[in-house]
Amino acid sequence: MSTVKQKILIVDDEPDILELIEYNLKKEGYQVFLAGNGQEGITIAKKVHPDLIILDIMMPKMDGIEACRLMRAIPEFKNTFMVFLTARSEEYSEIAGFNVGADDYIAKPIKPRALVSRINAILRRNSSTDEVSDNKVEIGDLVIDREAYLVYQDGQKVVLAKKEFELLYLLASKPGKVYTRESILKNIWEDSVVVTNRTIDVHIRKLREKLGESYVATVKGVGYKFELS
């Protein structure tokens, strides 16, 4: 971990949860800030500029979904990691969270060791030893060269169609980040009226056929992410 302590803001209306997460994250060397609802969370976030924000979904005054949506609209929080924490397991709440810009989703009851491991992994995305530049991603055994539209796997060239390449580059540029179907359509196909969710599924299937099953993971009901298994 960097010698500069990374800042984490926890927003939850349950004091016991705040205390549990704060204790375990402070043991890891993080600076931790606390808020009891979405409104207070936004106010504190503007003051301390956290590297990561953990948001409960169900809170008084302002819930986590609305707080995340409002913060994502503020330029200074565009790239801040947002993680939802909730006891609700319904699929629609996960979809709502990712649709407003969540990077990850952690369910209660909290398992401290698993929570810390997940937070460490999320924050490492910005300091990965894998090379990520404007035109090239080198991750695992893949080299993805956007300038040349070429992909190499273990040194062997892999031929991809243009949209397959762009989809792979989008996912691999931020490993672990879940991209909703809507965000994929917006980034890859923009305003094309002939593209459907089925189109995305077909391109994902083709990527798996050419690269193997271990790179692109499905997040049920939400979208896809790049990960190295």
Side-chain angles (χ1 to χ4, degrees):
M1 186 180 301
S2 170
T3 55
V4 178
K5 290 185 178 180
Q6 291 172 298
K7 300 175 183 177
I8 297 177
L9 170 62
I10 311 166
V11 188
D12 197 302
D13 63 323
E14 298 182 55
D16 290 347
I17 296 295
L18 289 174
E19 183 179 349
L20 175 65
I21 300 176
E22 178 186 29
Y23 173 76
N24 283 279
L25 291 180
K26 280 187 173 181
K27 281 204 309 181
E28 286 291 299
Y30 293 113
Q31 294 185 66
V32 180
F33 303 87
L34 307 177
N37 60 67
Q39 289 180 350
E40 184 182 0
I42 292 174
T43 299
I44 294 175
K46 289 178 178 178
K47 292 179 180 178
V48 304
H49 303 287
D51 299 286
L52 182 145
I53 301 173
I54 301 174
L55 289 156
D56 187 29
I57 284 189
M58 300 298 294
M59 292 184 291
K61 295 187 179 179
M62 181 185 292
D63 64 27
I65 298 288
E66 179 65 7
C68 181
R69 186 187 68 79
L70 291 174
M71 283 191 282
R72 281 297 190 219
I74 301 172
E76 64 192 282
F77 298 122
K78 182 179 179 181
N79 297 314
T80 302
F81 289 113
M82 304 270 187
V83 178
F84 277 114
L85 179 70
T86 180
R88 298 175 64 182
S89 59
E90 295 94 334
E91 188 176 280
Y92 75 84
S93 64
E94 296 188 18
I95 294 172
F98 286 121
N99 281 342
V100 295
D103 294 288
D104 212 333
Y105 201 97
I106 299 173
K108 297 177 182 177
I110 295 168
K111 298 177 181 178
R113 189 173 300 176
L115 172 75
V116 168
S117 177
R118 183 82 65 85
I119 296 303
N120 287 343
I122 292 169
L123 286 169
R124 276 200 302 270
R125 292 178 195 171
N126 274 352
S127 57
S128 172
T129 55
D130 294 315
E131 179 186 348
V132 179
S133 69
D134 288 340
N135 293 311
K136 184 181 287 188
V137 174
E138 296 183 27
I139 184 165
D141 61 356
L142 293 180
V143 176
I144 308 168
D145 188 338
R146 190 175 190 180
E147 206 166 65
Y149 268 76
L150 292 175
V151 175
Y152 294 89
Q153 184 179 35
D154 281 331
Q156 301 296 313
K157 184 164 71 173
V158 180
V159 178
L160 298 180
K162 184 174 185 289
K163 291 301 184 185
E164 293 168 11
F165 178 91
E166 291 175 353
L167 177 55
L168 176 64
Y169 185 88
L170 174 69
L171 298 175
S173 63
K174 292 188 177 179
K177 175 180 172 61
V178 178
Y179 285 88
T180 64
R181 293 173 181 275
E182 291 78 10
S183 65
I184 291 172
L185 288 171
K186 182 178 179 181
N187 278 281
I188 305 301
W189 282 274
E190 299 178 342
D191 297 323
S192 175
V193 295
V194 298
V195 175
T196 66
N197 285 337
R198 176 63 180 160
T199 302
I200 298 175
D201 296 338
V202 169
H203 281 72
I204 292 292
R205 176 173 57 79
K206 288 181 178 178
L207 283 177
R208 287 170 172 163
E209 288 174 354
K210 294 176 180 180
L211 297 173
E213 299 284 336
S214 60
Y215 299 102
V216 181
T218 300
V219 180
K220 186 178 178 182
V222 181
Y224 298 97
K225 66 178 178 178
F226 185 96
E227 65 179 11
L228 292 174
S229 60

